[in-house]
Amino acid sequence: MSPHLILRVVAKLLIPLIVVFGFYVQFHGEYGPGGGFQAGVIIAVAVILYALIFGIDAARRTVPPVAVRFGAALGVLIFAGVGIATLFMNGAGEPLNYLDYDALHPDQGHHTGQHYGIILIEIGVLTTVSSVMLAIFYAFAGRVPDIPDEEW
């Protein structure tokens, strides 16, 4: 019997719950505490836990570094894209306002555009934060120690 059998079984049960909780924090963040940053860290922690239990190579196969770099860039593009879209979607004669979410939906009375804008921005933040956290983890976890194990 493997000495890490219990850790592996518990991790397989916990990792999906951690990801679901991360998405709960993401989509509940506009109504209460939380949002893209916290959800991004929580989802990155699920992958980091996977790496700690199953190994860094298994984690890199599951979430490749190329996908991590792409996610970091995509999140910034989503954030900036929403801002640029709102900048140019204002009506004629109105001032150009970056991240003026009301331009995203014509229903100004209920501020539906505000709701859409916040969700899009938080998705961009989630993508960027989780990707950057994983990039930092991969950089540190893949580093070769300067001192061999025999010299400790």
Side-chain angles (χ1 to χ4, degrees), residues 113-135:
Q114 295 284 331
H115 185 72
Y116 293 156
I118 290 170
I119 288 175
L120 290 171
I121 289 295
E122 294 294 335
I123 288 172
V125 172
L126 165 89
T127 307
T128 301
V129 169
S130 62
S131 297
V132 168
M133 291 294 294
L134 287 176

Side-chain angles (χ1 to χ4, degrees), residues 29 80 83 129 144 146:
V129 169
V144 178
D146 295 334

Side-chain angles (χ1 to χ4, degrees), residues 54-130:
F54 296 99
I56 188 71
D57 293 330
R60 285 187 174 149
R61 282 190 304 273
T62 305
V63 183
V66 171
V68 170
R69 288 190 300 272
F70 179 76
L74 178 66
V76 172
L77 286 175
I78 291 171
F79 190 98
V82 170
I84 290 171
T86 59
L87 187 66
F88 294 112
M89 288 176 69
N90 285 332
E94 293 184 30
L96 297 177
N97 294 322
Y98 189 75
L99 291 177
D100 180 15
Y101 302 137
D102 283 331
L104 293 173
H105 195 272
D107 183 15
Q108 298 290 327
H110 292 95
H111 298 289
T112 309
Q114 295 284 331
H115 185 72
Y116 293 156
I118 290 170
I119 288 175
L120 290 171
I121 289 295
E122 294 294 335
I123 288 172
V125 172
L126 165 89
T127 307
T128 301
V129 169
S130 62

